[in-house]
Amino acid sequence: KLHPLQESFMSEHGLQCGYCTPGMLMSAYGLLSKVSQPTEEQIKKAISGNLCRCTGYGNIVAAIKEAAVSFVK
């Protein structure tokens, strides 16, 4: 079974080439472990150290917002 973050990345199309996926997932996990309902600005700051070569940041932010609803620490 996939983690809620993995599920949300799939449903919100936050996965494209896969280059940034591991870093984005780990950054998102770290954020959601500390902040249960992060703002868009908090999400953007949390993932700012990761480079997405496909410019999929919008979908990634949406995926993290969706995962926050059902995130299990």
Side-chain angles (χ1 to χ4, degrees):
K1 183 175 177 180
L2 295 176
H3 189 276
L5 267 170
Q6 294 169 308
E7 292 283 351
S8 67
F9 268 65
M10 285 178 31
S11 67
E12 292 294 327
H13 307 287
L15 305 165
Q16 290 186 32
C17 77
Y19 176 82
C20 70
T21 305
M24 291 293 185
L25 286 170
M26 296 308 293
S27 295
Y29 186 90
L31 173 66
L32 295 177
S33 293
K34 297 175 188 167
V35 182
S36 61
Q37 294 298 312
T39 65
E40 190 167 317
E41 289 306 312
Q42 289 173 309
I43 293 170
K44 288 178 180 180
K45 184 176 180 182
I47 65 171
S48 66
N50 297 289
L51 173 66
C52 176
R53 300 184 327 176
C54 300
T55 66
Y57 294 102
N59 292 349
I60 292 168
V61 170
I64 296 169
K65 282 182 180 179
E66 179 185 308
V69 175
S70 60
F71 185 74
V72 178
K73 294 180 184 178

